[in-house]
Amino acid sequence: MDMLIGGKHISSEDKIEVINPYNDDVIDTIPIAHRQTAQLAIEEANKAKTSLTEMSAFKISNKLYNVVSKLKDKREEFAESLTLEVGKPINESLVELDRSIETLKLAAEEAKRIYGESIPLDAGLNGKGFFAFTQKIPLGVVCAITPFNYPLNLTIHKIAPAIACKNTVIVKPPTEAPLTVMKFCELLNEEFPDGVVNVITGYGSEIGDYLVCSSDVDKISFTGSVTTGLMISQKAGMKKVTLELGGNDPMIVLNDADIDKAVKGVINGAFLNAGQVCMGVKRIIVEEDIADIFVEKLINETQKIIMGNPSDTKTTLGTLISKKAAIQVEETVNNACKSGAKILIGGERDGAFYQATVIDNVTPDMDLVKNETFGPIAPIIHVHDVDEAIQVANATEYGLQAGVFTNDYAKAMKCANQIEAGTVFINKQSTFRTDNMPFGGFKNSGVGKEGIKYAVDEMTKTKLIGLNLR
Ligand code: NAD
C-alpha cells in the first residue's frame, strides 16, 4: 500500500514487507519514507489546517458519522486484515473493529461538545466591570504514532478526537502491522479535505524522530514502549506530548475472593491477544491460603484454550507479532525457571506461537515480572496478606491499570487507594476498558489521558477572551 500525503498516494523505491506471522507469507509492502517525505507530510498537514478550522462542528460531526457507516460496512474485511497482519484470533479482531466503531462514534458526538466556560472576572480583585469566556482551540498538527498490538483502535483513539477538535493529523502506523490503519485513513480521506489526514510509513527511528523534533508539529500523541516514549519526551521540546506506554499490571486475589471470577479474569487478561496487551494481567498476586485451589482451577481453564490458525473462529490463542518476539518470551520464561520458577502448563514455542503458560513460584525480583513480558504468561506470586500484596503490586516502574479480587470492601478500598496505577478495578481484571473512560497510566506507564473527551482536552489549548464592560 502507498502512503497518503496531501490527498495523494505516494510510494518510494525502498519497501518494507508486511509479514503474516502465522505462515510467514508476505501480505503486502509499504514504502520506507525518509526525512523529505516526513517534511512533505508536515507541510501538507499545515496547509490543510484552515480547511478544518473553517468547517462547522456540525459538518465535522456528520463526516465522522459517515466514516462510522463506512467502517461498519467494512467490519469483516478489516477484521480479517487485522488478523493477517497481527496474528490475533479473528474473534478478537472483530471485537477490535466493534470498539473502533464505538471510538469513532464517541468522537463524532464529542465534536459537538467542544466549548469553554464563562469566567466571572468580577470575582477577582479589580475585576469589577469585566467579563471573560474561554474557547478550546485546536493545537494545529497532531502526529499520531502507534504500536502493533491494537493498531486500528489505538490509532482511532488519536485521529478521531484530533479531527473532532479541528486538528489535522499525520499518522505513523506501526511498522509490523500498518495496513488496516492505512485502509482506515483512506476512508477518512474520502470525507475530509486533502491533507487533513496524512499517513507516512517507514522506520520510527528515522521518520518518527523527524516528526517528533519538528517545530511545525504541535502535538505528539504516542502509544508504544517506555523506551521509545522516554526518547520522544526528551526530543519533543515545547510541543504537547501524550505518552501511553507499557504496563506490568497486577491482579491481586485475596483469600475471600470469588475464585472462579478471578480465574476467568486471568484467562481474559493474561492470554488475550497472546498477552500482547499494555494493560494485560502480568502479575497474579495470590494470598497463600487459596493459592493451591486457585492454581488448580486456572490450569483447568488454561487447558481449554485453543491455539491455532488465527483466521479460524474456534481459535482463542493466535501467534505473537513475530517469531523473534516469541523467542524473547521463551528466553524470559526459561531464565525465570533457572531461578526457581515452575511451569505448570504450557511453556512451548512453535515459530511465532507460544503456548498459554501458567508459572508458579515466581518471585518479584525475576525479570519475567520486573519488566513487561509481552506474551501469554500467567506468573503467580504468593503473598501472606493484603499489605504484602499491595507492596508487591507497587514494586514496578509501571502503573497502568490493576485488578483486585475480594469481597471485603475495606480491603478493596485499601488496595484502590494504595495501588499506584491510573485505574484500579475491583473484581475485574486490568484488561477491562471502555473507550469513553479516562485511560492512562502513572509512573513510567505514561503522561496524559485518552478516552475521547480526555484526548480532546489534550489536543486543544484554552484561549481567554476578556471584555471591559465599564
Ligand atoms: P514501540 O515503542 O517499539 O513502537 C511504537 C511506535 O513507535 C511504532 O509506530 C514505531 O515505529 C514508533 N517508533 C519507534 N522508534 C521511534 C522513534 N525513535 N521516534 C518516534 N517513533 C518511533 O512499541 P511496540 O513494540 O509497537 O508496542 C508495544 C508497546 O506498546 C508495549 O510496551 C505496550 O505496553 C505499549 N502499549 C501501550 C498502550 C497504552 O495505551 N498504554 C497500548 C498498547 C501498547
Side-chain angles (χ1 to χ4, degrees), residues 145-147 172 204 222-225 228 244-246 278 372 374 439:
I145 305 178
T146 50
K172 160 50 196 93
F222 172 79
T223 300
S225 63
T228 314
E244 298 287 348
L245 308 180
C278 56
E372 180 186 44
F374 235 41
F439 178 83

Side-chain angles (χ1 to χ4, degrees), residues 86-128:
V86 182
K88 70 170 68 170
I90 186 68
N91 289 330
E92 288 187 27
S93 294
L94 285 165
V95 172
E96 181 167 350
L97 255 296
D98 290 340
R99 284 191 51 196
S100 301
I101 292 164
E102 166 78 359
T103 306
L104 200 53
K105 248 194 241 167
L106 287 166
E109 289 166 14
E110 199 61 32
K112 293 185 173 181
R113 290 196 289 254
I114 296 163
Y115 40 70
E117 51 189 358
S118 61
I119 313 290
L121 293 187
D122 74 343
L125 185 66
N126 298 330
K128 191 166 186 319

Side-chain angles (χ1 to χ4, degrees), residues 271-292:
F271 306 140
L272 184 74
N273 198 19
Q276 304 164 111
V277 186
C278 56
M279 55 190 183
V281 171
K282 301 287 179 201
R283 298 172 296 144
I284 302 144
I285 302 164
V286 185
E287 257 191 289
E288 186 66 53
D289 40 353
I290 53 150
D292 286 349

Side-chain angles (χ1 to χ4, degrees), residues 86 88 146-151 174-177 273 276 320-321 325 374:
V86 182
K88 70 170 68 170
T146 50
F148 72 83
N149 57 346
Y150 287 88
T175 314
E176 305 88 337
N273 198 19
Q276 304 164 111
L320 275 80
I321 189 65
F374 235 41

